[in-house]
Amino acid sequence: MLDDKPAAAVPNDLSAYWMPFTANRAFKASPRLFVSARDMHYVTPDGRQVLDATAGLWCVNAGHGRPKIVAAIQEQAATLDYAPSFQLSHPLPFELALRLRDILPAKLEHVFFSNSGSEAVDTALKIALACQRARGEGQRTRLIGRERGYHGVGFGGTSVGGLVNNRRQFGTLLTGVDHLRHTYDPPARFTKGQPEQGAELADDLERLVALHGAETIAAVIVEPVAGSAGVLVPPKGYLERLRAICDRHGILLIFDEVITGFGRLGRATASEFFGIEPDIMVLAKGVTNGSVPMGATAVTAAVHDAVVEGAAAGIELFHGYTYSGHPLACAAALATLETYAEEGLFQRSAQLSGHWEAAVHSLAGEPNVIDVRNIGLMGAVELAPRADGPGLRGPAVFQHCFDNGLLVRASGDTIAMSPPLIVSENQIDEAIEGLRAALRACA
């Protein structure tokens, strides 16, 4: 249970704040606010507890208000609040990079820090281009994303992303970008875990190689599991095939693990879960348990050395952020990694995945459910559109859940869930029954 604390004051004028990815007019007419959180629950201004079935926004993997993380942030703020990251530094990012190297795939030996998944993606894309240039292949400037992919909101990430609504307001974005087909296959609906068929979808990269020429392509970026598009699980053999095609043509493979990193699939990374190592990996969200903004881009020694060791004396990569390796973020990340390890949360996630799978798939047959997908502690329920238009049923289900003490995520007509790794089996059942009630109420 949460400690009894007075509710925070709610501003009586919400107009100044322009909210991200939000229907601002509708929200400000009927706001949904949280004033505190602990473990598996948020608390609203009127004192209602809301079960968090989304780990905040895919990020609070260890649950809310964890003491070790809170204490680390408080102590660091009182000790060293900020240090410059250009030509100067402090000990913590070096320590954190080593700690991350210990849990990442063996070939990923170097880490570049940023402040979000979006920045980490753009960092990965720039490193890929710089690497190819350093190797004497500066003509490799083309970047390949995937339809229905989400890679943040920077110009690079938006360009390689494949969610139409995220792109349509912003013109032509980066040139020289193309997209693989997405991996969603309607005949595989209601599959538990990875679909058996579909590995051949990776061959779409060969189509783009034939169209553009392999010698023009710098990198391919994919999410191992497409989270924001509604938990699109890769078919068996797909990632292996994609890796092989990239190797055959000298193309760097980037895994965007902003969502799948840090225990979501019962391992430190999806790369470990699937047994496929990328050349570059993007991390964020769970690295600090969502407590302080942070992103990280991990690269192989081959990528790092091509850029750094092959450069003339002086700055090797003209890229970075004022807050790269920020002291508070590093302190939060180190405490988060300790919390994951001490409580065995990655192993716990793996142990809970069977119960989670059965619970999520119990929603098959509920009103308007046209697909259920899952892997690890990720799940999605796709709904048939309402007669008055697509993208309306999902938000209605989301609102019903919120009103009745459950936080899920609506992406159009898909309901996604990704609970903190501390979730209990009883809380999984509570979340699924709450969603079931909402599906019936919104039928």
Side-chain angles (χ1 to χ4, degrees), residues 230-253:
V231 188
L232 304 184
V233 181
K236 290 181 179 179
Y238 172 88
L239 294 173
E240 292 89 337
R241 208 148 162 174
L242 194 62
R243 173 74 273 181
I245 297 170
C246 287
D247 288 343
R248 185 156 59 246
H249 295 293
I251 300 168
L252 296 173
L253 178 60

Side-chain angles (χ1 to χ4, degrees), residues 287-359:
V287 69
T288 63
N289 200 45
S291 59
V292 179
M294 188 176 221
T297 304
V299 305
T300 63
V303 170
H304 170 271
D305 291 353
V307 177
V308 174
E309 301 302 330
I315 296 172
E316 300 94 359
L317 182 69
F318 283 80
H319 175 73
Y321 303 95
T322 299
Y323 303 112
S324 290
H326 191 281
L328 269 64
C330 289
L334 287 165
T336 296
L337 295 180
E338 290 176 8
T339 300
Y340 290 148
E342 290 172 0
E343 300 183 13
L345 292 185
F346 298 170
Q347 296 86 347
R348 177 179 176 78
S349 174
Q351 292 163 1
L352 286 168
S353 62
H355 185 88
W356 172 255
E357 178 176 271

Side-chain angles (χ1 to χ4, degrees), residues 118-130:
S118 295
E119 290 183 359
V121 164
D122 278 18
T123 298
L125 299 177
K126 291 175 76 174
I127 288 174
L129 293 169

Side-chain angles (χ1 to χ4, degrees), residues 80 89-96 334:
L80 177 66
S89 194
H90 60 99
L92 294 185
F94 299 94
E95 180 182 355
L96 177 58
L334 287 165

Side-chain angles (χ1 to χ4, degrees), residues 169-193:
Q169 290 179 298
F170 309 116
T172 57
L173 298 168
L174 295 184
T175 60
V177 174
D178 211 334
H179 293 79
L180 301 166
R181 289 177 56 195
H182 62 73
T183 59
Y184 182 61
D185 185 17
R189 287 176 176 172
F190 300 102
T191 295
K192 295 180 178 180

